[in-house]
Amino acid sequence: MSRRLSCVIPAFNEAPRIATVLREVLGHPAIDEVIVVDDGSSDGTADAAAAVEGARLIRLPENRGKSWAVSVGIEAATHELVMLIDSDLIGLGPTALEALIAPVREGRADVSISLRGNSPWPWRAIGLDYISGERVMPKALIGETAALRTLPRFGLEVYLNRRWIGLRQRIAVVRWPEVASPWKGAKRGRWEGLKADARMLADMFRTVPLHAAAAQILAMRRLRA
């Protein structure tokens, strides 16, 4: 239980939601450091994060995408373990956080990944959301942050999957039935949400082709702890 943990939260235009997430992670005894990377937001996200005392805030001058923002947070993290948490979660609480951290900190798995209550039904049916943004892993496993900065804006998750699979990491899939991530359409409007989803999928499949993404799902299911 001596393995210390840094929590990295990339954020872009999440002013209405980030303070709630921050209060949960800052109050958790298993989290030793919280780093928010504001990815060039235009809606006051950085100010909302700064108003919650206790987190380290890094402001990027322009929007570079999630992969870049996470790379900055990883460089700033000082502890052996890293937890990645999305900044828009609803229903996040201490029980969910502990469930994600414990398998890795206690050595029952090498890495962990969440399965949120509102994940698409196919992911819930197979017991794995392979593109979930909530993960715990050793910092050393992430590799060079320069490599993250070469990824498409939303190529991070499938890139991490590829590393986990290549190194045959034992994966704990942690069900989070009480936690949800709001659909982009609810935050941005239906049309803008659809466009954002399309861009995200394009980035994913630029990083890992569609057939390789399907292979990732099968490989990660075999590696479940």
Side-chain angles (χ1 to χ4, degrees):
M1 293 297 291
S2 63
R3 303 173 78 186
R4 292 173 67 81
L5 181 142
S6 300
C7 176
V8 174
I9 304 177
F12 176 65
N13 286 351
E14 294 293 353
R17 290 162 286 272
I18 191 168
T20 301
V21 172
L22 271 178
R23 281 190 286 268
E24 293 297 336
V25 297
L26 285 165
H28 199 285
I31 298 172
D32 302 288
E33 174 182 52
V34 178
I35 300 163
V36 177
V37 183
D38 176 62
D39 189 19
S41 298
S42 59
D43 72 340
T45 293
D47 292 337
V52 183
E53 186 176 354
R56 178 180 176 185
L57 173 63
I58 302 173
R59 301 176 189 241
L60 301 185
E62 61 181 301
N63 178 246
R64 304 296 297 266
K66 184 177 184 179
S67 300
W68 190 289
V70 167
S71 78
V72 172
I74 296 301
E75 286 182 346
T78 60
H79 297 310
E80 177 190 358
L81 300 179
V82 169
M83 178 166 65
L84 302 180
I85 292 287
D86 284 348
S87 56
D88 62 352
L89 296 178
I90 299 167
L92 186 66
T95 300
L97 289 166
E98 181 62 29
L100 193 66
I101 296 167
V104 180
R105 181 169 267 174
E106 296 171 3
R108 292 183 279 115
D110 300 309
V111 298
S112 64
I113 186 169
S114 77
L115 180 58
R116 296 184 301 268
N118 75 330
S119 294
W121 71 264
W123 304 152
R124 284 179 279 134
I126 66 172
L128 173 69
D129 180 355
Y130 82 114
I131 56 172
S132 172
E134 293 79 53
R135 301 171 181 233
V136 174
M137 72 205 87
K139 181 179 178 181
L141 178 62
I142 299 170
E144 296 295 327
T145 53
L148 300 183
R149 292 176 183 167
T150 67
L151 296 173
R153 298 167 72 87
F154 293 99
L156 177 71
E157 284 82 9
V158 289
Y159 170 83
L160 291 175
N161 295 347
R162 187 165 59 198
R163 290 186 61 83
W164 291 6
I165 293 164
L167 295 170
R168 298 197 59 77
Q169 299 295 285
R170 295 171 300 152
I171 302 169
V173 178
V174 179
R175 290 186 178 270
W176 275 6
E178 70 278 24
V179 182
S181 179
W183 305 116
K184 290 181 175 62
K187 296 190 293 184
R188 306 183 187 184
R190 181 178 178 84
W191 179 238
E192 288 301 320
L194 288 171
K195 289 194 293 184
D197 280 336
R199 289 192 295 267
M200 182 181 70
L201 289 170
D203 281 352
M204 286 169 44
F205 296 133
R206 283 171 56 205
T207 307
V208 172
L210 180 58
H211 69 278
Q216 281 192 355
I217 294 170
L218 295 174
M220 292 173 74
R221 280 175 53 81
R222 288 195 295 267
L223 289 169
R224 284 182 300 180

